[in-house]
Amino acid sequence: MLKHEHLLIRAEVANAPCSITIGERWLRSLIEDLGMEIMIGPFGEYSTLEGNEGLTIGACITTSHVMMHVWDRCEPAIVQLDVY
């Protein structure tokens, strides 16, 4: 039987990923380290909307999704991670 787990993390970080390539590489590594299977992605985009500057990187996995949001213009930078 499949076991469903959900992890939410909010962290203030000193060196947040600020490029799509680095964010996608980081998320792929995390998914693989957790033993999860990627269906689609990782894929990402950088928001330039004032007050919301930062990355959104996501992937669909066989059990659901992994999403990471990084706000890199605030001090300290904020990372929110949703793994299901």
Side-chain angles (χ1 to χ4, degrees):
M1 176 172 217
L2 185 62
K3 183 177 179 184
H4 292 274
E5 299 200 38
H6 194 187
L7 174 67
L8 297 170
I9 296 173
R10 181 194 181 279
E12 295 177 350
V13 299
N15 295 314
C18 57
S19 80
I20 295 168
T21 302
I22 291 170
E24 288 174 349
R25 191 176 311 136
W26 185 89
L27 199 66
R28 178 176 298 280
S29 178
L30 173 68
I31 292 167
E32 290 170 356
D33 288 348
L34 292 172
M36 297 174 168
E37 185 179 339
I38 295 173
M39 291 174 50
I40 301 170
F43 46 84
E45 197 59 53
Y46 191 91
S47 172
T48 58
L49 181 64
E50 187 176 341
N52 194 49
E53 296 93 342
L55 290 174
T56 297
I57 307 288
C60 297
I61 58 175
T62 54
T63 54
S64 190
H65 69 274
V66 178
M67 293 295 294
M68 177 176 69
H69 304 281
V70 180
W71 291 271
D72 61 359
R73 299 270 173 100
C74 53
E75 286 293 326
I78 298 170
V79 174
Q80 292 194 143
L81 181 67
D82 179 358
V83 180
Y84 190 93

